Amino acid sequence: MKSKRHVKLLFALFCTLLLVNCSSPESKVTQVVNKFYSEYEHNFRIVNKQYVSDHLYELILKAKEIEDEDAMLIKNSAFPTDKPLLIEGDVFTSLHEGHTSFTIKKTTITGNKATVIVEFKNKKYNQTWEDEVRLVNEKSKWKIDDVIFKKEISSFGSTQQCLNQIINHE
C-alpha cells in the first residue's frame, strides 16, 4: 500500500511541477511585453533583438543605416549644418517623450498573432494613454511586431509606419 501511495504522491508532485513550469501562451505574451518595456530605454537604435520580430528588427536596422548615411552625407556636404534624416522621440509608444510606467490591460491571442493593450503613463507630462502592441509567434517565441499608436497623441499610426517613413524618405 505504501508503494501505491508513493506513486500517487510522486504523480501529484510531477503534475504540480509541470503546471508551474508550463506557462500559458497568454503569460508568455505578457512576459515578452513586460520585459521589453521594462528594459526599453526609449531609443529604438539599441532595442533588444530577442523581443522584436525579424521583420521589425530589419526595419530598425534599415532606419539606423539611413540615419547614419544621411548624417555622413551632410557632414561631408557644402552645408554641414543641415539637419540629417533622424527619428526623434520614442517609436514604441504614442507619446514622443515615452513612458515612465506601464500596465498590461488585455491580451488576446489568435493563432500565431497576439494583441496586448498596454496603458502607459508619463508622469512628467501628466499623460496616460493606451497603445496596442501586436506580437507574432516566430520559431515558437512571441515577439513584438508593431505598436499601434493612439491617434490623439501621435502623428504616426504605428512603430512600423514611423520606421518606414525614414526608410522611404517621406
Side-chain angles (χ1 to χ4, degrees):
M1 249 213 241
K2 279 188 176 181
S3 65
K4 283 185 180 181
R5 199 175 210 186
H6 277 342
V7 169
K8 285 182 181 179
L9 191 59
L10 284 173
F11 181 73
L13 181 62
F14 173 75
C15 289
T16 303
L17 288 173
L18 190 63
L19 286 173
V20 168
N21 288 326
C22 290
S23 301
S24 69
E26 185 176 296
S27 68
K28 289 179 180 180
V29 167
T30 57
Q31 183 179 30
V32 168
V33 174
N34 269 319
K35 285 184 176 183
F36 177 81
Y37 283 105
S38 295
E39 296 175 12
Y40 179 59
E41 297 177 11
H42 308 287
N43 183 349
F44 79 93
R45 295 161 196 87
I46 55 171
V47 71
N48 189 333
K49 182 183 177 182
Q50 74 177 353
Y51 301 126
V52 297
S53 69
D54 292 344
H55 174 70
L56 184 56
Y57 195 69
E58 285 299 316
L59 291 177
I60 290 168
L61 292 178
K62 285 178 188 174
K64 285 172 31 178
E65 183 180 330
I66 297 288
E67 285 182 337
D68 292 345
E69 286 174 2
D70 201 55
M72 188 59 72
L73 285 172
I74 288 176
K75 181 180 175 185
N76 296 327
S77 76
F79 305 98
T81 57
D82 283 353
K83 187 175 178 184
L85 290 172
L86 182 68
I87 294 177
E88 297 182 73
D90 190 4
V91 300
F92 283 98
T93 69
S94 291
L95 190 65
H96 181 81
E97 292 78 9
H99 70 285
T100 56
S101 65
F102 68 94
T103 305
I104 292 178
K105 292 295 193 178
K106 181 180 176 186
T107 302
T108 306
I109 299 173
T110 307
N112 68 340
K113 295 184 179 188
T115 302
V116 180
I117 304 300
V118 181
E119 180 184 82
F120 293 100
K121 291 183 181 182
N122 184 306
K123 291 178 186 171
K124 182 177 179 182
Y125 292 93
N126 195 27
Q127 290 278 331
T128 301
W129 71 98
E130 288 183 353
D131 287 337
E132 181 181 302
V133 181
R134 293 184 179 174
L135 296 92
V136 293
N137 194 318
E138 285 184 352
K139 302 170 193 149
S140 300
K141 291 185 180 182
W142 288 101
K143 299 196 174 194
I144 295 171
D145 190 50
D146 204 2
V147 180
I148 308 305
F149 300 144
K150 183 173 182 173
K151 291 177 181 136
E152 296 83 22
I153 296 176
S154 179
S155 58
F156 297 104
S158 72
T159 298
Q160 286 192 24
Q161 184 184 29
C162 181
L163 295 169
N164 276 315
Q165 180 185 18
I166 199 159
I167 291 167
N168 300 319
H169 306 290
E170 295 173 352

